Amino acid sequence: MSEILKKAEAANSFEIETIPVGPLGLVPLKGMRELTEKIDSYLVDWRAKRESEHKESILFAGYQKDSFIIEADCPRFGSGESKGIIKSSVRGDDLYFIVDVTNYSILYTVGGVQNHYSPDDHFQDLKRIIAAAGGRAKRMTVIMPFLYEGRRDSRSERESLDCAQMLRELTDMGVTNIITFDAHDPRVQNAIPLFGFETVSPTYQYIKALLNNVPDLDIDSEHMMIISPDENGMPRAIYFANVLGLDMGMFYQRKDYSRVINGKNPVVAHEFLGASVEGKDVVIVDDMISSGETMVSVARELKRMKAKRVFGCASFGLFTGGVKIFDKAYESGIIDKVFTTNLTYQIPELFEKEWYVSVDMAKYIALLVDHLNHDYSISNLLNPTDRINKRVSEYKRKREEEMKREA
């Protein structure tokens, strides 16, 4: 592990070796206020504690503040049209626009009728706020955890390539870096080869949450296994399994391509490829939970194959069909816990469920922003293998000590 990362973990900071790109500014769009405030609190605390002989230098002007949040808004007219407003000067700032395109809890009124924000509305608001900056910022970065139209990344017939078009629009407006999480297909970055594009995996945060909430895991290939629910998630599951030293299995989804239901081809059956899961704890790793049908179907099949416990991990818990499907699965003993991040909107009732665990990503994003504002490399933050190994070793040691005491 690098010295920078050791210091970051020891003091939630790092030694200053470069000047900031510019005064830091966090610009939350509608629906991202809560997460941005958490990110802001980390940054304010770290920079207040950070010691440097350069604090009084003009190059570090505005380095320590009570808040780095820059207020912005997109008020709407009665016709439904809107405009972007930034409520303070951003000239020369290093701006980070934070947007959740899946947050449908935001409402607006057109002709007396209330409408929910769609991903299109959020993206338009993002462009409005970027336009309001008027090209006066020193640098602009977009943090978009759920990549807008990320599933529209390839063409199989006469259809639009919305994700690539979105990336081109943002870079044409002056955005130089785009940070997303678990992109459906990272190759979409080929649309903007001369600009920064990072797709981040929250594997370390998953594992930390799993270890904190399940005290009796035996992390070895005889007692535990990682599962990919489909072939597209194989790279994610392979990394998860490798860092834990576990075996992995995969389900092949057999689909009926002659029909389309709710915008997708229905799954006829899940065919399992892998070793026996009998008596093992299994972790299903996926990028998102949409309706939840895939994860519950896979969990049901794993229990039929005599798996001991089933845990689900997904970066984005959209729960577009509500949570009843998971309530029934939990009550039936099909699934034990579900872990999703706070990178996207979480429906309030989730926090009342025994089976649900929210994985907080605020500290990690704050570290990314702090490094980028100093033009530090983020390679060590993107590759958490050392941190995972350390955390798992501590868990195993405590588990062994508990088992000795019980014996």
Side-chain angles (χ1 to χ4, degrees), residues 3 44 47 131 156-157 172 183 204 214 227 233 263 273 275-276 279 286 306 323 334 337 369 387 389:
E3 287 300 312
V44 169
R47 294 193 172 195
S156 57
E157 54 184 336
D172 287 346
Y204 171 66
V214 186
I227 304 296
L273 303 174
S276 172
D286 208 354
K306 300 182 179 179
V323 298
I334 292 171
K337 283 194 182 297
V369 170
R387 283 175 289 158
N389 289 338

Side-chain angles (χ1 to χ4, degrees), residues 264 289-300 318-335 338 347 349-350 353 355:
K264 58 185 179 181
I289 295 173
S290 185
S291 66
E293 293 177 1
T294 296
M295 184 165 286
V296 171
S297 296
V298 167
R300 185 180 294 111
L318 305 182
F319 297 99
T320 55
V323 298
K324 289 184 179 179
I325 186 172
F326 285 95
D327 284 338
K328 292 179 181 178
Y330 177 70
E331 291 166 3
S332 304
I334 292 171
I335 201 160
V338 176
I347 55 178
E349 60 186 299
L350 277 174
K353 305 300 180 181
W355 48 264

Side-chain angles (χ1 to χ4, degrees), residues 136-155:
R136 293 171 179 83
K138 181 71 174 292
R139 186 177 68 178
M140 295 191 292
T141 298
V142 169
I143 299 176
M144 184 187 288
F146 187 98
L147 194 62
Y148 174 75
E149 295 288 3
R151 286 180 281 188
R152 293 297 323 118
D153 53 32
S154 60
R155 178 179 285 157

Side-chain angles (χ1 to χ4, degrees), residues 6 9 19 28 47 61 150 159 167 175 180 217 250 260 277 294 339 345 350 356 363 400:
K6 288 179 181 177
E9 292 208 325
I19 64 173
R47 294 193 172 195
E159 52 189 354
L167 295 175
V175 173
T180 188
L217 289 171
M250 184 201 81
V260 176
V277 300
T294 296
F339 300 79
Y345 172 65
L350 277 174
Y356 181 71
K363 184 177 179 181
E400 289 173 0

Side-chain angles (χ1 to χ4, degrees), residues 41 44 76 96 125 149 204 208 272 288 314 357 359 376-377:
S41 66
V44 169
R76 286 186 178 265
Y96 294 81
D125 276 4
E149 295 288 3
Y204 171 66
K208 184 168 69 170
F272 183 68
M288 75 177 73
V357 178
V359 180
Y376 266 65
S377 170

Side-chain angles (χ1 to χ4, degrees), residues 68-259:
F68 296 100
I69 293 177
I70 293 174
E71 300 295 341
D73 193 17
C74 288
R76 286 186 178 265
F77 304 102
S79 63
E81 296 170 293
S82 183
K83 65 177 179 179
I85 303 173
I86 293 181
K87 300 181 180 180
S88 60
S89 174
V90 296
R91 189 178 294 277
D93 286 1
D94 184 22
L95 298 183
Y96 294 81
F97 301 90
I98 306 175
V99 58
D100 172 17
V101 299
T102 67
N103 192 333
Y104 59 85
S105 70
I106 311 300
L107 301 174
Y108 66 95
T109 302
V110 180
V113 178
Q114 281 197 326
N115 295 284
H116 290 266
Y117 258 59
S118 71
D120 294 341
D121 291 312
H122 284 290
F123 180 53
Q124 287 301 121
D125 276 4
L126 172 63
K127 291 194 292 182
R128 291 181 178 113
I129 297 299
I130 292 172
R136 293 171 179 83
K138 181 71 174 292
R139 186 177 68 178
M140 295 191 292
T141 298
V142 169
I143 299 176
M144 184 187 288
F146 187 98
L147 194 62
Y148 174 75
E149 295 288 3
R151 286 180 281 188
R152 293 297 323 118
D153 53 32
S154 60
R155 178 179 285 157
S156 57
E157 54 184 336
R158 289 188 294 276
E159 52 189 354
S160 59
L161 292 174
D162 299 73
C163 189
Q165 181 65 31
M166 175 272 296
L167 295 175
R168 292 292 294 273
E169 285 187 55
L170 291 182
T171 53
D172 287 346
M173 295 184 74
V175 173
T176 55
N177 295 299
I178 296 169
I179 298 174
T180 188
F181 287 77
D182 261 346
H184 186 70
D185 189 339
R187 291 174 295 183
V188 74
Q189 67 187 290
N190 292 337
I192 50 168
L194 301 181
F195 296 87
F197 182 96
E198 300 291 349
T199 176
V200 186
S201 177
T203 306
Y204 171 66
Q205 286 74 22
Y206 284 156
I207 292 173
K208 184 168 69 170
L210 183 65
L211 301 185
N212 287 341
N213 288 275
V214 186
D216 57 347
L217 289 171
D218 292 313
I219 306 175
D220 59 58
S221 57
E222 294 182 7
H223 300 93
M224 195 171 173
M225 194 169 178
I226 305 300
I227 304 296
S228 174
D230 54 41
E231 58 273 24
N232 293 329
M234 281 286 287
R236 188 181 304 109
I238 288 171
Y239 178 74
F240 208 112
N242 283 343
V243 294
L244 292 179
L246 303 177
D247 194 5
M248 70 152 289
M250 184 201 81
F251 279 89
Y252 169 69
Q253 292 184 352
R254 203 149 47 82
K255 297 183 178 181
D256 181 358
Y257 290 100
S258 65
R259 296 184 296 152

